[in-house]
Amino acid sequence: MDYVKPAEVLEGMIEAGANKAELGIRQMLIKGFLAGAILACATTLAFAATQQTSLSLVGALIFPVGFVIIILLGLELVTGSFALIPLAVLERKATFRQMLTNFGWVIVGHLLGCALYAVLYGLTTTKMGTDLSHPLVQTLITTSEAKTLGYKEMGLSGLGLVLIKAVLCNWMVTLGAVMAFTSRSTAGKIAAMWLPILIFFAQGFEHAVVNMFVIPAGMLLGAKVSLTDWWVWNQLPVLAGNLLGGITLTGLGLYFSLKKKATPAAPAGSPVETGEGRFVPASVSRAGESV
């Protein structure tokens, strides 16, 4: 059977979080860089599909391809790690400092990867800066402004809205990362991961790594968005919301619902079941008899 039981999934989550916390800086940077660029590429693919079909749901159906590539190749996506590494810290298999180090370096990697793809894609769609008529040029400009200036116009309500949309987004994204643990086959992993990612993208929730590409790309193409607009009205609150959603709704939610209670130790002198239908005194068992 390909299916992995929930209790085993939780063990996999904790182990994965511990492994991520032990990565070196170079690994975190490179894996974060590649993941950022791949997710940015999947974003433009989804935008192209939406533009060609006039159906946003088609773009949402296609977008998870980037997430699947990232997970199957074992790259680093900080939004997924928001649900995994905290559990390793909780189980004392990683330190709080290791967790923050991972988040920080992987985010730097994402920014570099998204920036490179934004430049290359911008040169491609504008024919080396000579033609702004490509339909996705305006899509990126409009989306960049909507994700920043749109919230800015709302003031504090805008910050609240972007935070909520970020929480909901990473609830689904981290579920996508967790669903990869529910199957032992590649096909099963792909199908399981696809579902939550489709849900988040189809509903326009806010994902920090996607925005690391979309907003700068729009700025490069002429969006009237400043660095302050980008970070204050989107990137920082979205990172905070993604972290909150990943830790609480997925990480801790699954941890406390699936974690088994420790079996109480038998009192001294109590008989111990041998597994062969008979009991022996605890002292005998401790002396070396297998139980």
Side-chain angles (χ1 to χ4, degrees):
M1 292 289 289
D2 287 338
Y3 176 66
V4 179
K5 294 181 179 180
E8 295 177 63
V9 169
L10 179 61
E11 293 176 6
M13 292 169 63
I14 295 169
E15 190 64 30
N19 291 337
K20 287 174 177 292
E22 293 176 356
L23 291 174
I25 293 176
R26 183 177 65 178
Q27 286 181 299
M28 289 185 280
L29 275 173
I30 295 174
K31 288 187 172 189
F33 175 91
L34 293 173
I38 290 169
L39 204 64
C41 190
T43 301
T44 55
L45 176 65
F47 284 173
T50 298
Q51 185 272 322
Q52 293 168 9
T53 63
S54 299
L55 294 171
S56 60
L57 185 57
V58 175
L61 283 167
I62 293 174
F63 174 76
V65 66
F67 183 86
V68 166
I69 293 171
I70 290 167
I71 297 298
L72 291 183
L73 289 179
L75 302 178
E76 285 295 299
L77 189 66
V78 73
T79 46
S81 297
F82 283 165
L84 303 178
I85 302 180
L87 297 189
V89 174
L90 194 61
E91 287 285 300
R92 298 182 180 179
K93 293 186 176 182
T95 66
F96 189 75
R97 181 176 179 178
Q98 285 178 310
M99 180 179 73
L100 294 183
T101 298
N102 178 279
F103 291 169
W105 285 112
V106 172
I107 286 172
V108 171
H110 288 338
L111 287 167
L112 294 173
C114 288
L116 177 63
Y117 185 76
V119 171
L120 296 179
Y121 188 76
L123 292 172
T124 301
T125 53
T126 63
K127 297 180 181 177
M128 301 301 286
T130 63
D131 184 1
L132 297 177
S133 64
H134 194 292
L136 288 190
V137 170
Q138 190 56 47
T139 296
L140 286 168
I141 292 173
T142 302
T143 305
S144 179
E145 292 178 346
K147 285 179 171 289
T148 52
L149 304 182
Y151 296 123
K152 184 178 182 179
E153 291 175 0
M154 296 175 64
L156 290 178
S157 295
L159 285 177
L161 176 59
V162 72
L163 184 69
I164 292 170
K165 291 172 75 173
V167 169
L168 294 174
C169 169
N170 217 38
W171 181 20
M172 292 298 105
V173 172
T174 49
L175 279 181
V178 170
M179 291 294 280
F181 294 99
T182 64
S183 175
R184 292 186 174 87
S185 72
T186 301
K189 289 178 181 291
I190 292 172
M193 287 187 281
W194 209 280
L195 304 176
I197 306 306
L198 186 159
I199 292 172
F200 116 70
F201 200 85
Q203 298 186 84
F205 295 152
E206 295 286 348
H207 188 266
V209 184
V210 170
N211 292 347
M212 288 177 191
F213 160 71
V214 172
I215 298 175
M219 293 166 65
L220 288 173
L221 293 170
K224 300 183 184 302
V225 176
S226 68
L227 284 173
T228 300
D229 293 331
W230 169 22
W231 283 92
V232 172
W233 294 100
N234 187 285
Q235 202 63 66
L236 289 177
V238 170
L239 278 168
N242 285 171
L243 177 62
L244 181 61
I247 287 179
T248 58
L249 297 178
T250 297
L252 295 180
L254 293 177
Y255 181 84
F256 288 115
S257 64
L258 300 176
K259 182 69 174 177
K260 293 181 180 179
K261 294 182 179 180
T263 304
S270 297
V272 178
E273 210 278 322
T274 66
E276 301 173 351
R278 61 191 181 87
F279 292 84
V280 297
S283 58
V284 174
S285 172
R286 285 192 295 268
E289 183 169 342
S290 177
V291 296

